[in-house]
Amino acid sequence: MTSLAPGTRPPTPLHRTESPGLRHVVVHRESLIEHHLTFCPLPQESPEALARRVTRWLHDLDAIPVRLQAFGPLRAFPGFQSNLPPLSPNWPAPLTWLEGFPCPPHPQAGLAGLHAMAVSDTAVSPVLAAGNILGASFSDGHLDHVLLGNVIPPDPAAPTATQARHTFERLQAALQTAGLNFTQVARTWLFLDDILAWYPSFNRVRRDFFQQCRVGPPLVPASTGIGARNPAGAPLVAEAWAAQPLHPNARIAEIPSPLQCPAPAYGSSFSRAVEMLTPDLRRILVSGTASIDARGASLGLDDVRAQVQHTLHVLQTLLASRGLDFSDVSRATAYLRHAADAPAVHQALARAGLALAPLVMTQAVVCRDELRFELELDALAPTPGSLNPLP
């Protein structure tokens, strides 16, 4: 964990363990245990076997999954999905599968990897909309949480902009069944099948929807927007994380990036990061971040090393603004436009101290044609003795 002056943090409730093909961050909180697991394929491990390994781990932990996100070839999805338990109150996390190809040094693996979040020692309820389980809800005693996954539009024949609108409406409907609404969404993940073809129109739909729902200051969700196909063949698939404070000691707010301008300045409706702050835990949810400067312009054109270096500097500075660093990362996904860039990216991550991070690296399309690298992450740390004021 980050080294701070004595007495600035209580004894850490976070424990990190590593075993072949798994990095596991365990957070022992006041009223529950959180498990953040990142699975990568073992040598010669099939997608079916990896799914069984995920299931076995969660069963042995007596933990209920609340979020599952995997990156792999679409052809691997049916076998993987068939080896997971069916959706139920004991398994309420839909699997969000994105077409993301493995990168060196394991380009022949069945999939790039999987992130799972699970909780134990607390009650979890499925979130239903129109009779379908779209996610899970639970409380940590300070915040009520709702996590939604694999949300796709209902009409595959509609124009893409219409389907984007319907996807946001499905997210809103699911949140409402759990007693929340879109103004309480802290984080979204939005994967477009052909992002370079229709990202501008998608952004217009998102902006209009947010205005209608009064999503805006003091909270605009952090977000990732990446090009990746999904097994349903839909133009996009979405995930969301919403939270409702239960008392004044729990707070949620945007965190500005010291080195990048707000994304709305160039037409994208998301914040650089969001912090969930409770008396026992500081959680930072950082948006997908690429090599973009303080004016919103892309940097390091055609130079992946320069892009990675700038991105890591931006992220490190953002985390430091809240007293955290890369050693506090609990989940990370690196998106590479070209799999051949992986060795250079691995080297840069190792130099930054992210070699042992719970990371999935996958080939996918970043939202600007000139950008070859994007990194998103979550970070966790015990809250200092007194809550720091949010920006």
Side-chain angles (χ1 to χ4, degrees), residues 147-164:
L147 289 94
L148 305 176
N150 198 41
V151 178
I152 60 174
D155 182 5
T160 53
T162 301
Q163 294 197 57

Side-chain angles (χ1 to χ4, degrees), residues 184-220:
Q184 295 158 317
V185 173
R187 184 69 163 92
T188 61
W189 292 263
L190 304 159
F191 296 93
L192 282 63
D193 63 341
D194 189 3
I195 192 168
L196 297 178
W198 68 289
Y199 193 52
S201 63
F202 168 82
N203 274 321
R204 287 192 293 271
V205 170
R206 175 169 57 178
R207 183 174 61 248
D208 292 346
F209 180 82
F210 282 9
Q211 290 175 349
Q212 179 182 335
C213 294
R214 295 186 172 88
V215 175
L219 182 63
V220 176

